[in-house]
Amino acid sequence: MSILFDSEKKIFKLDTSDSSYVFQIFEENYLVHLYYGAKIPDNNLTANYYRGWFASFCPSNAKVKADCFSPDVTPMEYSCEGAGDFRVSALAIRNSDGNNVTDVRYVSHKIYKGKPALEGLPSLHLNSEDEAETLEVLTEDRTTGALVTLIYTVFENYPVITRSVKVENGSDARMDIERVYSCCVEYERTDFNMMHLYGKWLKERTLQVRHLAHGIQSVVSKRGSSSHNHNPFVALADEKATEDYGEVYGFNLVYSGNFSAEIEVDAFNSTRLIMGINPESFGWILEPGEVFQSPEVVMVYSGEGVGGMSRAFHDIYRNNLLRGKWAKEKRPLLINSWEGCYFDFDDEKMVSFARKAKEMGIEMLVMDDGWFGKRNDDTSSLGDWFVNEDKLKGGLGSLIKRVNDIGLKFGIWFEPEMISPESKLYKEHPDWCVHVNDRENSIARQQYVIDMSRKDVRDNIFEQMYAILSDNPIDYLKWDFNRNISEAGSALLDSEHQKEFFHRFVLGTYELMDRITSAFPDLLMENCSGGGGRFDPGMLYYSPQIWCSDNTDPIERLTIQFGTSLCYPGMCMGAHVSANNRAGIDTRANVALWGTFGYELDPNKVSDEDKETVKKQIEKYHKYYDVIHFGDLYRIISPFENHYRSAWSYVSKDKNEMLFTSVVMRRPEISSYFVRFKGLDKDKYYKDEETGEVYSGALLMNAGLNFTNKDCSDGASFLKYFKAI
Ligand code: DGJ
């Protein structure tokens, strides 16, 4: 049993594999948070609400008899706006009287095996009902009739709790949700470092670590997507925690639009974290009887440092987020045409790519941007999803047949949420682009965004995509999204509902993805947004891999992949060997091996010598596929901390295999280089595949190995593979 309700103490205790989360029904039915941290056996925590004396500036409730209760000071399970809590609030609903005072109190609860799916939204799923239990706590604002259900799912075998919130209008008057965060978490401490991932196009997910300070610190997106700039991930790490030791709490929002994580440290030295849809660009009208469901937050607790947090995210995402056949089945090794030829191709060039790729052992050709409408550069044709037969003579079917006959599978590129002003679709439906009346629309990469909040627009795009995908044997789809959303508005929403646009857009995108993945369950989908501009768990629910970055420089990729690995598994990170020559082809492959692995270059330009090298790389890819895709990641030297080298390893779940990778970013000042490995079985003996030497796990983890004599010139790298004997 992972969820316990002590009816005497009125305490809920949620136990995961390694953590406990405790809250209580307090006087006057307030829900008060008591504890979140390492697993504890007892639930005798009722005194934890007490946070010392406060002055008259912290409002209370006259009916409460307990000492020093104030929503402003007491750790609240789900903080509300305007009823005595002046800290960041998770919920604010403007009622028909025009004020937004919100105050929800406990009404009832239910505990059951399993986990509910969230209507219209991606979320973690279970493979069997026994994996998790769910607690739904119904609360109510008695003044307004808002019914708010706090939903917690507790995983038995992972240190994971998911949370979301459902708001129902139980009154007969309209309500306006101004903010509805998916979780609120309270700590009786401030000795945390906050970790988050910022970035930009070509430089996604750079790790930022800062000590919490009094006041509010936040990470947000209001770009219409989760964005290159900030990932919907934040962690609170004990200030003494490291990669391998100490407590770390990770939070990741399963959402691909505007998000917000706010952390407030107050004068009573407590910390509150809320995470959910960004209220700055959000509002939702709830008519009587209507329901609003928030996205889900995945909360991970690690007692084994940042590395432990990452491995828990990787495990739960591999098992309970990725869906369909490609979550587990071996994916075909691909070559993508983009960096090899950009828009400059025809059917003959694609066939020549396929022929050369086949010679090297590649299994699938992906034809990227440029096959449709009149698209020869980025100035036109998004929205015109029909084949450009001037380019692909004989049509798509004939090209795919030729590629298949060579022995390769075939993949194709779409950018369904966009429209070019220079397109047939735009000429026919100028109001289908996202816009607001009487205001010039900003243009980015020569394109507008198409209005995914509209069903008629989605139907049109679905039908166009369906025609291409059902008429042709297509194995893979790259779904791109190459700009952010400005002048956000829809021609179909009235002025009062325009504030719902951003969320409706995300729901529309999810609905279209759902239709495509349901219609073509065997299609392997790879998400992309100018590289990794939408690398979030929402997208991973629909596509088990996401193109990590348009930056394929193997040295730059190190920080990008290290940052991404904080919460996303390697098997989801799109990573290719390109013609970028900042480092040799071996290093390019060694870095790409961390992720999905593939090629992105003109195979006709690969020298005979490199062709032999590629064949060997592909052998390694097959050999190491399982340990990389399903093993545990151990980060050993982080490029965020070391300017000279990066190193990481994958260890199989049974601890019988380890693949270690080391890359020199810049020739080190000191050449001495010892590596102490992690995550092995100290009692097993491992054979070094290269030298035949045998070492105990204990030696490898404690004494380590001496790699001082390895090449340490700029861009050099090596792999080491060990197998238990
Ligand atoms: C951006 C993507 O990240 C690239 O890989 C490529 O697909 C281009 N878009 C095509 O326009």
Side-chain angles (χ1 to χ4, degrees):
M1 281 255 292
S2 338
I3 301 176
L4 177 115
F5 178 63
D6 180 331
S7 52
E8 219 172 275
K9 296 197 185 82
K10 294 192 174 173
I11 277 184
F12 295 98
K13 181 158 183 279
L14 282 50
D15 286 327
T16 72
S17 58
D18 299 311
S19 63
S20 295
Y21 184 102
V22 187
F23 62 101
Q24 182 189 17
I25 308 164
F26 196 69
E27 287 181 52
E28 294 304 314
N29 291 326
Y30 285 103
L31 285 174
V32 164
H33 179 83
L34 298 179
Y35 175 74
Y36 181 32
K39 198 164 181 167
I40 50 173
D42 23 22
N43 61 1
N44 195 14
L45 288 152
T46 38
N48 272 30
Y49 87 89
Y50 182 79
R51 279 179 174 173
W53 185 246
F54 57 94
S56 46
F57 293 90
C58 302
S60 188
N61 179 327
K63 292 188 193 141
V64 174
K65 295 185 190 68
D67 259 1
C68 291
F69 172 83
S70 162
D72 195 30
V73 182
T74 301
M76 304 302 286
E77 184 54 25
Y78 191 62
S79 57
C80 293
E81 178 70 25
D85 185 342
F86 297 111
R87 294 170 289 162
V88 287
S89 55
L91 183 69
I93 302 175
R94 196 163 291 277
N95 56 45
S96 54
D97 278 355
N99 68 74
N100 70 351
V101 178
T102 309
D103 187 2
V104 298
R105 313 276 182 90
Y106 172 84
V107 176
S108 63
H109 70 271
K110 57 181 180 189
I111 296 171
Y112 55 92
K113 258 189 193 313
K115 179 176 192 296
L118 306 187
E119 169 108 44
L121 285 164
S123 59
L124 300 195
H125 66 270
L126 303 184
N127 304 296
S128 91
E129 290 249 302
D130 295 337
E131 278 180 295
E133 275 189 340
T134 296
L135 164 67
E136 292 192 13
V137 181
L138 176 67
T139 67
E140 184 182 12
D141 185 332
R142 296 229 161 86
T143 308
T144 64
L147 298 166
V148 178
T149 306
L150 311 180
I151 306 170
Y152 306 76
T153 296
V154 184
F155 286 78
E156 241 167 63
N157 298 324
Y158 299 113
V160 173
I161 298 174
T162 60
R163 291 179 63 175
S164 73
V165 173
K166 202 166 70 182
V167 182
E168 184 181 342
N169 184 346
S171 77
D172 51 15
R174 164 182 149 169
M175 292 176 182
D176 285 42
I177 304 178
E178 293 185 336
R179 52 169 58 209
V180 51
Y181 278 80
S182 302
C183 74
C184 170
V185 181
E186 301 255 16
Y187 299 90
E188 316 293 316
R189 50 187 287 204
T190 65
D191 53 346
F192 284 124
N193 283 321
M194 171 184 177
M195 306 176 77
H196 56 104
L197 300 166
Y198 75 96
K200 56 187 177 195
W201 178 58
L202 298 178
K203 196 69 184 160
E204 296 89 339
R205 290 172 294 287
T206 309
L207 177 62
Q208 174 84 60
V209 182
R210 50 178 155 144
H211 202 274
L212 287 188
H214 283 98
I216 299 167
Q217 33 259 289
S218 64
V219 183
V220 302
S221 167
K222 53 179 191 176
R223 296 175 161 265
S225 70
S226 48
S227 87
H228 299 84
N229 306 60
H230 294 288
N231 198 262
F233 158 79
V234 66
L236 292 178
D238 182 293
E239 63 187 8
K240 291 186 217 77
T242 63
E243 177 66 20
D244 303 307
Y245 305 100
E247 289 195 296
V248 182
Y249 300 82
F251 302 86
N252 200 194
L253 188 68
V254 188
Y255 191 60
S256 310
N258 297 336
F259 72 90
S260 158
E262 294 197 14
I263 301 167
E264 178 165 6
V265 178
D266 70 8
F268 293 84
N269 284 342
S270 62
T271 299
R272 169 181 287 172
L273 178 147
I274 56 175
M275 191 176 211
I277 296 176
N278 186 350
E280 196 184 333
S281 46
F282 169 82
W284 200 267
I285 295 173
L286 265 194
E287 298 295 346
E290 284 184 348
V291 174
F292 180 86
Q293 172 66 56
S294 85
E296 176 168 285
V297 168
V298 180
M299 311 199 307
V300 165
Y301 169 81
S302 162
E304 289 171 18
V306 182
M309 174 200 72
S310 298
R311 287 185 290 280
F313 272 122
H314 299 174
D315 282 341
I316 195 97
Y317 286 173
R318 283 186 295 215
N319 290 315
N320 300 87
L321 178 61
L322 307 188
R323 300 174 307 153
K325 123 175 190 181
W326 300 110
K328 297 267 182 298
E329 216 164 279
K330 191 165 180 192
R331 305 179 198 155
L333 171 60
L334 67 82
I335 181 162
N336 177 295
S337 66
W338 181 244
E339 288 194 29
C341 59
Y342 298 104
F343 296 102
D344 180 19
F345 63 87
D346 58 12
D347 51 324
E348 289 306 328
K349 192 176 266 183
M350 283 298 114
V351 171
S352 77
F353 270 38
R355 224 174 264 127
K356 288 282 179 258
K358 176 70 184 169
E359 283 167 22
M360 295 188 281
I362 291 167
E363 297 161 339
M364 178 160 73
L365 172 73
V366 175
M367 179 172 64
D368 209 279
D369 194 354
W371 58 269
F372 52 91
K374 296 196 173 105
R375 185 115 163 142
N376 291 316
D377 54 33
D378 64 11
T379 57
S380 83
S381 302
L382 297 170
D384 295 347
W385 301 110
F386 45 83
V387 180
N388 179 347
E389 295 211 11
D390 291 339
K391 249 175 160 171
L392 303 182
K393 291 169 203 78
L396 189 56
S398 145
L399 171 64
I400 298 178
K401 178 157 188 331
R402 291 169 74 194
V403 171
N404 287 166
D405 285 349
I406 292 167
L408 264 68
K409 292 179 184 298
F410 187 84
I412 202 164
W413 180 97
F414 278 96
E415 196 176 1
E417 298 146 282
M418 298 291 160
I419 185 163
S420 304
E422 201 45 57
S423 66
K424 196 167 153 287
L425 193 68
Y426 185 76
K427 301 237 148 63
E428 284 163 13
H429 301 285
D431 65 328
W432 278 15
C433 77
V434 173
H435 67 282
V436 293
N437 287 340
D438 303 327
R439 193 175 287 282
E440 207 176 316
N441 234 4
S442 303
I443 194 131
R445 209 203 185 199
Q446 320 273 3
Q447 65 200 52
Y448 297 143
V449 183
I450 202 167
D451 186 353
M452 278 289 135
S453 73
R454 293 176 60 150
K455 178 151 182 348
D456 54 350
V457 171
R458 295 197 299 273
D459 285 348
N460 176 292
I461 300 297
F462 176 76
E463 275 153 29
Q464 292 197 60
M465 293 176 78
Y466 186 86
I468 296 283
L469 296 170
S470 57
D471 285 353
N472 300 286
I474 292 174
D475 301 293
Y476 162 109
L477 188 161
K478 179 170 169 187
W479 183 305
D480 211 342
F481 180 86
N482 279 305
R483 62 162 290 178
N484 288 129
I485 304 178
S486 56
E487 293 83 26
S490 169
L492 287 198
L493 292 173
D494 63 31
S495 57
E496 288 192 312
H497 287 81
Q498 285 293 343
K499 62 191 176 191
E500 300 176 358
F501 170 75
F502 272 118
H503 185 57
R504 287 187 182 276
F505 183 94
V506 178
L507 293 178
T509 294
Y510 287 154
E511 194 230 65
L512 184 60
M513 287 188 172
D514 201 50
R515 285 169 80 178
I516 296 288
T517 50
S518 307
F520 304 99
D522 289 344
L523 191 69
L524 170 58
M525 203 147 100
E526 174 153 357
N527 225 272
C528 174
S529 169
R534 224 166 34 174
F535 208 122
D536 60 61
M539 285 295 142
L540 286 177
Y541 178 81
Y542 299 98
S543 63
Q545 56 194 58
I546 301 179
W547 182 228
C548 209
S549 177
D550 277 347
N551 194 336
T552 54
D553 174 321
I555 304 303
E556 293 289 324
R557 269 277 175 147
L558 292 169
T559 53
I560 296 168
Q561 294 181 185
F562 258 84
T564 305
S565 78
L566 262 270
C567 48
Y568 307 106
M571 60 131 73
C572 300
M573 290 193 231
H576 298 165
V577 179
S578 75
N580 185 307
N581 59 9
R582 171 125 173 250
I585 191 158
D586 281 337
T587 294
R588 280 177 265 154
N590 289 344
V591 174
L593 265 178
W594 186 341
T596 56
F597 196 74
Y599 289 83
E600 183 149 346
L601 38 72
D602 181 344
N604 296 304
K605 294 187 181 148
V606 176
S607 67
D608 286 347
E609 191 191 338
D610 280 352
K611 211 190 271 173
E612 292 313 307
T613 309
V614 168
K615 285 184 191 162
K616 293 204 186 92
Q617 292 173 349
I618 292 176
E619 275 169 29
K620 287 186 189 150
Y621 156 81
H622 288 297
K623 182 163 177 198
Y624 304 141
Y625 188 92
D626 281 355
V627 70
I628 294 168
H629 280 235
F630 305 111
D632 285 329
L633 172 73
Y634 289 89
R635 289 177 293 253
I636 294 180
I637 306 175
S638 163
F640 296 117
E641 287 165 9
N642 188 305
H643 298 306
Y644 304 107
R645 297 183 204 270
S646 294
W648 63 97
S649 69
Y650 273 105
V651 177
S652 61
K653 289 279 176 195
D654 60 9
K655 297 191 184 294
N656 280 339
E657 284 180 88
M658 175 178 73
L659 178 70
F660 169 76
T661 311
S662 173
V663 182
V664 177
M665 297 179 288
R666 197 164 128 223
R667 177 181 281 279
E669 286 155 356
I670 304 168
S671 58
S672 158
Y673 183 32
F674 283 73
V675 173
R676 295 166 74 214
F677 299 95
K678 304 178 187 177
L680 299 171
D681 182 334
K682 69 177 176 31
D683 297 323
K684 284 189 175 163
Y685 282 82
Y686 295 87
K687 187 168 175 179
D688 177 338
E689 177 189 54
E690 189 188 16
T691 63
E693 290 287 342
V694 174
Y695 307 98
S696 68
L699 180 148
L700 292 169
M701 292 192 291
N702 293 301
L705 291 184
N706 183 355
F707 294 127
T708 305
N709 63 358
K710 288 276 183 196
D711 179 5
C712 61
S713 54
D714 289 9
S717 69
F718 64 94
L719 297 177
K720 274 277 181 193
Y721 178 69
F722 298 82
K723 197 160 187 176
I725 51 167

